[in-house]
Amino acid sequence: MDVQDAAVTVEVPATTANLGPGFDSVGLALGLTDRVTLSGRSEGSSDLIDVVGAGADSVPRDDSHLVLGTIRQLYRDEGLDFGPLHLSCVNQIPHGQGLGSSASAIVAALLAGKTFAQRQGADVSGIDVFQIASDMEGHPDNVAPCVFGGMNISWDEDGRWNLAQLLPHPDIRVTLAIPDTVLSTRTARDLIPAMIAHKDAVRNSARTALLVHAFTTDPSLLLPATEDFLHQRYRREAYPRTYRLVCELRERGLAAAVSGAGPAVIVFSTTDPVDVLADVARSDPHGFQVTHTQINTTGARVL
């Protein structure tokens, strides 16, 4: 098959990690998606990257682009060379907001790269997208829901990443409040202390266990289930507007949390919280973009 005729399009969802107390271990796939199309180009030309939507004005157009760079690294590791490539990205997932954009980019790259190589007749059966993407991210909390959809608990054991898939309660609705600022995950992670008080560890363990019950069985417990004692308050200097909004929403009875490393805020409910959320968010002079989204149940897929 001619590489120019072997275009592959994949769709990957945004994700939110932690859901309050489930730090680096619990994640949920969301309805915002990125679409990536990979095809070959004629010999003698160079790689080409087209980007529409989120990041179009800021992402690089060479192999430092996360998707293309990941594909190129995958092919080097597998001893493959398909010549110059054409990458087309249509992005809905905001960058630097704690919605798993880097995990989604890596998963999209691995899935598209693997499928493209497979269509060229290459043996890529040994490529495990979940394992490789989790290695690249350093933790699987965003990768697991991106690959498999729904709600996931993930952990490492004996050098391998593992996951358990959960079915979220059908009554749960998701609302996002996205500010006009961005935050580096590395910056946010560096603010968490190396040690925390034992009583906070106990509280966080209890809330994480409750989180599983609330999301799968009894959503009336979402407010206490999403209370965190491990990371959000330590990061508040990196996202003061976000932290203030989370606190105000929780005082009004809404199960709000920082989405991943932030600064987006995510709210879980069984009723429509937009009026309350918009009212509180308007108190910030810069404002937040408030939007509904769905829970994605399919995960990454080849279209």
Side-chain angles (χ1 to χ4, degrees):
M1 180 185 297
D2 190 302
V3 292
Q4 292 176 279
D5 299 327
V8 172
T9 299
V10 301
E11 183 176 76
V12 291
T15 56
T16 183
N18 307 329
L19 283 63
F23 185 68
D24 276 4
S25 58
V26 182
L28 183 72
L30 303 176
L32 299 173
T33 59
D34 284 355
R35 285 192 179 187
V36 170
T37 300
L38 175 65
S39 59
R41 303 194 73 201
S42 59
E43 291 297 332
S45 57
S46 58
D47 291 335
L48 175 65
I49 302 176
D50 300 318
V51 182
V52 175
D57 297 330
S58 59
V59 298
R61 298 299 199 274
D62 54 26
D63 60 8
S64 63
H65 185 280
L66 183 54
V67 177
L68 181 62
T70 301
I71 292 171
R72 285 298 185 195
Q73 185 61 54
L74 175 69
Y75 288 166
R76 285 193 293 271
D77 292 345
E78 295 294 318
L80 301 172
D81 183 8
F82 299 114
L85 299 171
H86 181 195
L87 189 69
S88 178
C89 305
V90 180
N91 298 337
Q92 291 183 341
I93 304 172
H95 294 182
Q97 290 288 348
L99 292 169
S101 61
S102 64
S104 298
I106 291 169
V107 170
L110 295 174
L111 182 58
K114 177 178 180 177
T115 305
F116 184 81
Q118 195 171 37
R119 292 182 180 179
Q120 306 304 315
D123 181 6
V124 290
S125 57
I127 296 175
D128 187 322
V129 171
F130 171 61
Q131 294 294 329
I132 297 173
S134 297
D135 284 340
M136 293 182 67
E137 280 281 277
H139 42 86
D141 53 348
N142 288 106
V143 173
C146 183
V147 174
F148 300 105
M151 184 177 180
N152 292 259
I153 302 170
S154 49
W155 69 96
D156 66 287
E157 184 176 353
D158 298 329
R160 283 188 64 81
W161 303 105
N162 297 271
L163 70 108
Q165 290 186 275
L166 304 177
L167 184 64
H169 195 284
D171 291 346
I172 294 177
R173 301 183 182 188
V174 180
T175 306
L176 292 169
I178 302 175
D180 56 2
T181 55
V182 298
L183 177 64
S184 161
T185 300
R186 183 183 298 275
T187 299
R189 189 170 290 272
D190 288 345
L191 294 172
I192 301 174
M195 301 184 69
I196 63 168
H198 183 268
K199 65 178 181 179
D200 287 338
V202 172
R203 289 172 176 172
N204 211 73
S205 295
R207 298 308 168 99
T208 304
L210 183 60
L211 185 73
V212 174
H213 178 69
F215 263 85
T216 59
T217 305
D218 188 358
S220 70
L221 295 170
L222 282 170
L223 181 59
T226 51
E227 187 171 12
D228 164 69
F229 297 91
L230 188 60
H231 63 99
Q232 291 181 169
R233 65 183 177 184
Y234 297 112
R235 292 167 158 174
R236 61 185 180 272
E237 68 181 67
Y239 44 50
R241 295 165 54 203
T242 291
Y243 190 75
R244 183 168 58 249
L245 179 59
V246 168
C247 292
E248 290 178 358
L249 291 172
R250 294 187 67 83
E251 287 173 2
R252 296 198 184 197
L254 293 178
V258 179
S259 182
V265 173
I266 192 160
V267 179
F268 305 106
S269 63
T270 55
T271 58
D272 189 346
V274 165
D275 289 342
V276 174
L277 204 156
D279 180 52
V280 174
R282 274 195 296 270
S283 65
D284 187 304
H286 301 286
F288 286 75
Q289 178 185 352
V290 178
T291 182
H292 285 303
T293 187
Q294 303 295 319
I295 295 176
N296 176 290
T297 58
T298 60
R301 60 193 183 120
V302 179
L303 299 180

